[in-house]
Amino acid sequence: VGNNLANVLITIKSPVSIDENGQKQVRAHQKFLFKELAIFPDYQPAAIIERTGNSAISYDTVIGKNNIKFIIAKKNKFTTAVLTRGLTINEDSIYRASKAKSSFTYYSSLANFRLINFDLYEPDSAKGISDSGYYHLNTNIKLTPLIPQSFTVELEGNTTAGKFGMATNFLYQHLNIFGGAEILDLKFKVELNNQEPGVAVSNSYFSETEYGINSTIRFPNLLMPFSSKSFYLKYKDYFS
């Protein structure tokens, strides 16, 4: 509070276990390696399937680069490139929470998924420890896409010099339009105004009609003639 300062000392002790003779044994902190990695780009949680009344989805397994498994449904439309471009988790790399957080941030930045879950779990004991003494940690990345197409209508009112006007906006959005998490936005606008001087229109309060259309496509990465994954990972802080 105010200009008061305090020193904080944090002490991390080694874990202690009790052996079969009742003696305390000091153990080293467990270190983990990322091992098996699976990405579900079209994952549907059981709760959503039950609520919507849809049938359960059948998945196929495809092995990609760096031994990454893609657990995909037939309707999956995401390319493997966009699913791995910002992935900082690699097989046999030491576990760091920052790696999982960075990967989560990347998937969130795509704005194509309503749910993003990272399930980390230890495999069975027979496969759970490497020769170097590291424990293994498998990762399932479960991505639930948003509805790919949406349509919105907006109504606006305005006034100019005491004259009232109105406008209608028709907004259309298409997610993942080319398979690389691109976002297409289309906006159609119709505006009716009553301004002086204006062109008289019989049996109409409005003297002016305006039409407009605007379209944008947002790409999640720079368009390059070469692979952009290494470029993205090197400069990812500037993309966020």
Side-chain angles (χ1 to χ4, degrees):
V1 180
N3 296 323
N4 297 327
L5 301 176
N7 294 326
V8 179
L9 176 63
I10 300 177
T11 302
I12 300 177
K13 297 182 178 180
S14 298
V16 178
S17 61
I18 306 298
D19 62 16
E20 57 184 9
N21 297 321
Q23 302 296 320
K24 294 183 178 180
Q25 298 291 333
V26 178
R27 300 183 292 107
H29 289 279
Q30 294 182 358
K31 295 182 179 181
F32 290 88
L33 291 178
F34 286 111
K35 292 302 292 183
E36 294 183 6
L37 175 61
I39 300 176
F40 297 71
D42 194 26
Y43 181 75
Q44 295 294 326
I48 293 181
I49 294 176
E50 182 179 356
R51 185 170 65 251
T52 58
N54 295 331
S55 57
I57 299 175
S58 59
Y59 297 96
D60 295 323
T61 301
V62 177
I63 306 298
K65 292 182 179 180
N66 300 322
N67 205 31
I68 297 177
K69 296 180 180 178
F70 296 92
I71 315 300
I72 61 176
K74 292 183 179 180
K75 64 178 181 179
N76 171 60
K77 296 181 180 180
F78 291 94
T79 63
T80 57
V82 74
L83 294 174
T84 58
R85 182 178 297 113
L87 190 63
T88 55
I89 298 174
N90 300 309
E91 186 176 356
D92 291 328
S93 63
I94 297 177
Y95 167 79
R96 289 185 175 87
S98 59
K99 289 185 176 182
K101 182 179 179 180
S102 175
S103 299
F104 183 95
T105 300
Y106 168 72
Y107 290 118
S108 179
S109 70
L110 296 178
N112 270 250
F113 302 103
R114 61 182 297 191
L115 295 176
I116 303 171
N117 292 310
F118 279 57
D119 290 342
L120 288 78
Y121 64 96
E122 296 182 54
D124 58 75
S125 57
K127 300 179 181 179
I129 304 178
S130 63
D131 296 335
S132 58
Y134 287 94
Y135 290 81
H136 291 174
L137 198 63
N138 294 344
T139 306
N140 288 336
I141 300 176
K142 300 177 179 179
L143 309 172
T144 302
L146 290 162
I147 297 174
Q149 300 185 61
S150 61
F151 185 80
T152 306
V153 178
E154 297 178 345
L155 299 178
E156 298 178 359
N158 59 69
T159 178
T160 303
K163 301 293 185 178
F164 294 99
M166 60 179 297
T168 303
N169 298 321
F170 301 89
L171 308 177
Y172 170 77
Q173 185 177 79
H174 195 307
L175 304 179
N176 194 39
I177 187 170
F178 300 127
E182 304 87 357
I183 301 176
L184 170 67
D185 287 302
L186 293 176
K187 180 179 180 180
F188 303 90
K189 184 173 185 177
V190 179
E191 185 172 356
L192 302 176
N193 295 308
N194 189 353
Q195 300 184 6
E196 296 292 347
V199 179
V201 180
S202 59
N203 300 323
S204 177
Y205 174 80
F206 303 105
S207 60
E208 182 179 89
T209 303
E210 296 181 7
Y211 301 92
I213 181 172
N214 181 51
S215 64
T216 59
I217 298 181
R218 288 176 280 172
F219 294 89
N221 64 296
L222 298 177
L223 298 179
M224 300 179 177
F226 52 85
S227 175
S228 59
K229 179 174 181 177
S230 58
F231 180 87
Y232 176 87
L233 293 178
K234 184 177 181 179
Y235 298 102
K236 64 179 183 297
D237 293 336
Y238 297 95
F239 287 84
S240 58

